Amino acid sequence: LQAYCERELVFFVSFGRGCMNNVLPLSYAWGNFSVLAVGIWAIVQRDSLDAITMFLTGLLLTVLTDVIHISIFYPSHDFISDAKRFSIGMAIFSLLLKPVSCYLVYRMYRERGGE
């Protein structure tokens, strides 16, 4: 569990860096922060199967919405600064970590009695 919490911390830090610059819209931030809040709820309530199911569903949905946000709002080469490039890079890094998080959350789901 400690390794899982450390990885969620890495996810949170990379997501925070991705939101550092206002390249992506507010819906990106609201979606990811909502999933983070449900994830904290799922970790705190160890006996709740609903919390972990909502967390897994939210993670899977944010993978899809992150791909859409990054592909639509990626700035052109004429208007990209180093800060924007770093922010987009961290958002992509966060997106790359999400399938691993989904796998770990799925393992937690199975441990709690999910089918």
Side-chain angles (χ1 to χ4, degrees), residues 54-74:
M54 287 179 59
F55 185 39
L56 182 59
T57 304
L59 273 175
L60 292 171
L61 285 175
T62 56
V63 168
L64 177 67
T65 58
D66 286 358
V67 168
I68 292 170
H69 279 117
I70 292 171
S71 62
I72 289 176
F73 293 101
Y74 192 84

Side-chain angles (χ1 to χ4, degrees), residues 49 52 104-115:
L49 191 61
I52 199 74
L104 291 174
V105 171
Y106 180 71
R107 281 187 33 203
M108 287 175 59
Y109 171 75
R110 298 287 295 186
E111 289 172 3
R112 292 184 186 186
E115 296 179 8

Side-chain angles (χ1 to χ4, degrees), residues 31-43:
N32 281 298
F33 280 134
S34 300
V35 170
L36 183 67
V38 172
I40 291 170
W41 173 47
I43 290 172

